[in-house]
Amino acid sequence: MEPLTNRSVIKEIMERNGFTFSKALGQNFIVNPSVCPRIAEQGGASPERGVIEIGAGVGVLTAELARRAKKVVCIEIDSRLLPILDETLAEFDNIKIINEDVLKVNLPQLIQQEFSGMEVVVCANLPYYITSPILMALLEQRLPIRSITVMVQKEAAQRICAKPGSRQAGAITAAVHYYSTPQMLFPVSRGSFLPAPDVDSAVIRLDVNQKPPVEVRDEKLFFTVVRGAFGQRRKTILNTLSSALAMEKEKVRELLEKAGVRENARAEELTLEDFAALANCLWDFREQR
Ligand code: SAM
């Protein structure tokens, strides 16, 4: 098979199969030959391991994963790519393609059925329009996976890997740091894709935590507080929480004092420990009622 990072090879396969890129599905395929081997290596694809990939495209990353891992299961929503993948991945017998929306797949069941006895990692060049829902779905379900190595838009990578309590932090920062330890791996320029997107990208790896770094009594409440706090990130925590939790300001003031958080702090200044203290104090408040 000719290299799948060769633009004229991709164009020829596409033309022959009557395939055109779907912008709505985030279809920007990698044509920089150094990127996929690095994602596969740094994502931990190895002979004993299983890999879940999200979004195969023409199979350029899928092939690099299959070369290194025991088995690759790839979830691809676009059925027009199936005949193309049959052709481009014909040399491999350790790849299974599932034609589904990743957000609708029963992932715990998939892992149990497909990867018995294997350690599992996730590697993908994500469709950017659903970066956060995919990451949250992978993390919140507490799947038995070691790590998630993904290419995302550069700004999303910076936000995800930011230190909680720093200016770049957002709700996703707190959520990701609760479930995993994220790190920036390497930048990827827009020219590395066909077609070239309007943004630059970066590859990040989230090493899944065995145990969250903070103790919270009620995770749902913890995430309600985080999302509420970042809902209006320019306002003070006193005002945002009062409207997000539908609580009188006096009560929120009491809550903040008990949790040791300044009432005029902004959400981005709060650490994971602050959010946990707030959620736990709120839980106590509600229990006492
Ligand atoms: N892995 C290929 C590469 O790196 O060249 C393609 C990456 S492209 C950025 C994203 C891929 O995700 C596309 O093939 C697209 O069809 C697929 N995709 C988009 N939304 C999806 C969804 N909800 N579930 C599964 N796959 C999806």
Side-chain angles (χ1 to χ4, degrees):
M1 184 78 213
E2 298 267 359
L4 287 172
T5 45
N6 185 321
R7 288 166 199 268
S8 42
V9 170
I10 300 176
K11 283 180 182 155
E12 189 276 322
I13 299 173
M14 285 175 56
E15 260 173 45
R16 197 155 30 79
N17 286 275
F19 180 88
T20 48
F21 291 110
S22 159
K23 208 170 174 184
L25 289 179
Q27 289 178 342
N28 301 93
F29 299 162
I30 297 173
V31 288
N32 176 337
S34 72
V35 172
C36 292
R38 289 179 81 188
I39 297 179
E41 302 265 320
Q42 296 188 41
S46 61
E48 305 303 319
R49 284 186 172 166
V51 182
I52 299 176
E53 189 194 3
I54 298 151
V58 293
V60 62
L61 175 59
T62 324
E64 293 299 335
L65 296 170
R67 269 188 200 116
R68 292 165 176 81
K70 185 161 186 177
K71 181 172 182 182
V72 179
V73 173
C74 183
I75 304 158
E76 170 57 63
I77 198 170
D78 190 346
S79 58
R80 299 173 308 151
L81 287 165
L82 300 186
I84 294 182
L85 292 165
D86 271 348
E87 187 184 326
T88 58
L89 301 175
E91 70 183 273
F92 299 99
D93 60 3
N94 60 344
I95 297 175
K96 178 166 178 175
I97 307 283
I98 297 179
N99 183 207
E100 252 293 10
D101 177 345
V102 64
L103 297 177
K104 295 194 179 139
V105 173
N106 181 337
L107 291 167
Q109 193 182 63
L110 179 147
I111 292 174
Q112 206 178 26
Q113 284 173 355
E114 304 291 342
F115 296 113
S116 167
M118 285 177 236
E119 267 186 1
V120 180
V121 295
V122 174
C123 291
N125 170 18
L126 286 185
Y128 294 173
Y129 73 105
I130 42 169
T131 297
S132 299
I134 292 178
L135 290 181
M136 289 321 296
L138 294 171
L139 291 169
E140 275 173 358
Q141 295 184 70
R142 292 226 157 74
L143 301 171
I145 53 176
R146 291 282 298 234
S147 61
I148 302 168
T149 304
V150 282
M151 173 121 65
V152 298
Q153 191 174 328
K154 192 173 107 191
E155 287 69 24
Q158 285 165 340
R159 177 148 286 190
I160 289 166
C161 297
K163 200 165 171 290
S166 71
R167 270 198 67 190
Q168 279 185 320
I172 185 89
T173 317
V176 165
H177 279 77
Y178 182 77
Y179 291 112
S180 70
T181 306
Q183 62 171 302
M184 188 73 86
L185 294 182
F186 57 91
V188 179
S189 69
R190 59 193 78 188
S192 300
F193 299 86
L194 181 74
D198 297 331
V199 293
D200 288 318
S201 299
V203 178
I204 57 175
R205 189 176 68 227
L206 316 183
D207 291 317
V208 175
N209 292 334
Q210 295 305 309
K211 193 170 148 283
V214 289
E215 256 182 56
V216 298
R217 299 212 177 90
D218 180 335
E219 282 185 354
K220 220 173 136 212
L221 198 54
F222 172 75
F223 286 110
T224 303
V225 170
V226 170
R227 271 192 294 271
F230 281 102
Q232 297 162 293
R233 56 183 295 139
R234 294 282 145 237
K235 289 199 176 171
T236 65
I237 194 75
L238 175 66
N239 287 329
T240 46
L241 284 190
S242 166
S243 59
L245 302 172
M247 274 171 82
E248 284 168 22
K249 274 200 188 156
E250 251 339 286
K251 280 270 163 218
V252 178
R253 195 167 271 131
E254 225 180 291
L255 177 73
L256 289 165
E257 202 178 322
K258 203 156 169 245
V261 175
R262 279 187 303 115
E263 66 173 72
N264 59 351
R266 306 285 191 269
E268 66 203 34
E269 297 173 67
L270 269 56
T271 62
L272 225 48
E273 288 73 17
D274 291 330
F275 283 118
L278 271 174
N280 289 343
C281 289
L282 182 61
W283 192 84
D284 288 345
F285 258 44
R286 291 187 172 172
E287 281 296 292
Q288 282 160 16
R289 264 201 263 141

